[in-house]
Amino acid sequence: MACRREPGGQVCLVIGGSWRLGAEPADLARVRAELFDEPDLSGVVCDATELVEWDSGLASVLAALAWHCQERGVAFATAALPEGLRALLGLVEGGARPSGAGAPDRADPFVRRFGQDFIALARSTGEILAFIGEVALALRSLLAGRARFKRADLWLLIEEVGADALPIISLISFLVGLILGYIGDQQLTQFGAGIFVADLVGLAIVIQMGALITAIVLAGRTGAAYAAQLGTMQVNEEIDALRTLGISPIEFLVLPRLLALITMTPLLAIYANVMGILGGAFAGTVAGGLSLTEYFTQTQQAIGWNHLSQGLISACVFGAIVAVSGCLRGMQSGRSAAAVGEATTSAVVTSIVFIVIASAVLTIVFDAIGLS
């Protein structure tokens, strides 16, 4: 590759020989220096008459030179290049900056980035509220008997949310109860109050931990699955097809998933409570030396209906949060595999964040109304 001066301030870029990937790369710095050495450079013309063979390696070199010409306002003529090479350069034009084309653009100022993030947050909040409004309208249609979805799909979703989640709920709840019981026994036995391990484990599991464990497991297991399912439907244009047929995607796809989670989360939370108490009983009897009769009697005396109702109310709210978060991110998904993956990740993060926020708010509300 060499440069030849032409009349009128133009430079002819002579390209010859074989240009293949893996061959010795062109010295872009030298070619660039020769091209832009002339202060009144008006344009660059390519001459490929001596070119023998080429592939994308030559296209990347010419794309980098074209970027430099564009930055300096210099015309870069490619009319003399082979047709295939011009087509390949046309694909590169307007895309990302090729490697070796110069330093990246400077980062935006902090104020601008902060403003863009704030606008994105406001837009996201508006989308969430709009989605919740559509779900509320779908629930109203359900109560009026006008919701359009397959009842068979609802029972299938209930089975997937409930029965299929029992093994992982059992394991995690039992281990959390075991950990609470073991740590509680270590501390309470110092004061001769080892029997109160049953109170500690029972109240912690029934009031908060059982519902939290269930919700977080469902967020990672079911909420992510909902986001992936709806995101894939976006990619395949199935949701667009439903709208074309006059069927509301919220009623047909979101509503049964919401009902399945709201129905099964409290039941799974009750099961998690039982497994957590059994885990605490194992720790209390093995590490604390208590009998099963003493442990369960103390647990029964410590737990009241007000404590159980707190956990069930929290579980219903958490189930709704997981369903809305998963379906929202799935409906917002782009039409690519990467977008579906991002929607799945965002669904889990959104669910867990709002679950923790709702847990704190519900704790304050329960204390304010005297339910605790």
Side-chain angles (χ1 to χ4, degrees):
M1 184 177 289
C3 298
R4 185 177 67 233
R5 302 295 176 182
E6 298 286 342
Q10 288 190 336
V11 173
C12 181
L13 185 64
V14 181
I15 308 170
S18 176
W19 287 82
R20 292 284 186 180
L21 286 174
E24 184 179 353
D27 188 354
L28 284 181
R30 177 188 59 79
V31 176
R32 192 163 57 241
E34 292 182 11
L35 280 176
F36 304 111
D37 184 45
E38 188 173 344
D40 56 347
L41 178 65
S42 60
V44 177
V45 180
C46 296
D47 180 6
T49 55
E50 300 179 7
L51 181 62
V52 178
E53 56 182 359
W54 62 274
D55 59 11
S56 58
L58 176 58
S60 64
V61 172
L62 293 179
L65 293 176
W67 268 99
H68 289 293
C69 291
Q70 181 180 350
E71 289 178 346
R72 291 165 173 79
V74 176
F76 189 82
T78 60
L81 295 176
E83 182 179 355
L85 183 55
R86 292 201 310 270
L88 193 57
L89 288 175
L91 294 176
V92 177
E93 184 179 358
R97 178 186 295 269
S99 59
D105 296 335
R106 296 176 60 186
D108 291 335
F110 171 77
V111 176
R112 181 175 181 179
R113 287 185 283 114
F114 178 80
Q116 291 174 341
D117 293 341
F118 183 80
I119 293 173
L121 177 61
R123 184 181 297 111
S124 176
T125 303
E127 292 175 355
I128 292 174
L129 294 177
F131 185 80
I132 293 175
E134 293 179 354
V135 171
L137 293 176
L139 288 173
R140 187 185 67 176
S141 299
L142 174 66
L143 295 177
R146 298 194 303 269
R148 302 173 63 183
F149 64 89
K150 292 182 178 180
R151 270 59 181 175
D153 291 347
L154 175 60
W155 291 112
L156 179 61
L157 291 169
I158 287 176
E159 179 184 353
E160 293 175 351
V161 172
D164 293 349
L166 288 179
I168 185 65
I169 295 289
S170 303
L171 176 64
I172 295 179
S173 300
F174 184 85
L175 292 178
V176 169
L178 177 67
I179 293 169
L180 289 175
Y182 184 74
I183 295 176
D185 178 74
Q186 284 184 326
Q187 301 302 317
L188 293 174
T189 50
Q190 300 180 24
F191 307 97
I195 188 63
F196 292 107
V197 170
D199 298 60
L200 171 65
V201 175
L203 291 175
I205 292 291
V206 170
I207 293 176
Q208 197 65 256
M209 294 302 298
L212 268 178
I213 292 170
T214 303
I216 292 175
V217 169
L218 291 179
R221 182 183 179 277
T222 306
Y226 287 174
Q229 291 169 3
L230 297 182
T232 304
M233 290 180 181
Q234 286 279 22
V235 174
N236 296 333
E237 299 183 353
E238 297 176 45
I239 294 178
D240 294 337
L242 287 175
R243 292 193 177 98
T244 303
L245 294 174
I247 300 174
S248 170
I250 302 298
E251 292 183 7
F252 194 81
L253 299 175
V254 176
L255 189 57
R257 288 168 168 78
L258 177 66
L259 294 177
L261 271 172
I262 293 179
T263 302
M264 295 307 300
T265 306
L267 300 179
L268 289 174
I270 294 175
Y271 180 76
N273 293 342
V274 174
M275 296 304 299
I277 291 174
L278 289 177
F282 182 83
T285 54
V286 174
L290 301 175
S291 66
L292 286 176
T293 303
E294 290 175 331
Y295 188 90
F296 287 119
T297 300
Q298 187 66 26
T299 301
Q300 183 180 4
Q301 294 175 356
I303 299 175
W305 285 106
N306 59 324
H307 304 130
L308 184 60
S309 61
Q310 290 183 59
L312 294 180
I313 294 172
S314 298
C316 291
V317 175
F318 296 161
I321 289 174
V322 173
V324 170
S325 299
C327 294
L328 169 67
R329 298 309 181 191
M331 298 290 285
Q332 291 177 335
S333 173
R335 301 180 187 273
S336 66
V340 174
E342 292 173 0
T344 304
T345 303
S346 179
V348 177
V349 173
T350 303
S351 299
I352 293 177
V353 169
F354 280 101
I355 285 169
V356 174
I357 294 174
S359 176
V361 172
L362 288 173
T363 301
I364 297 173
V365 171
F366 292 150
D367 182 70
I369 65 177
L371 193 59
S372 58

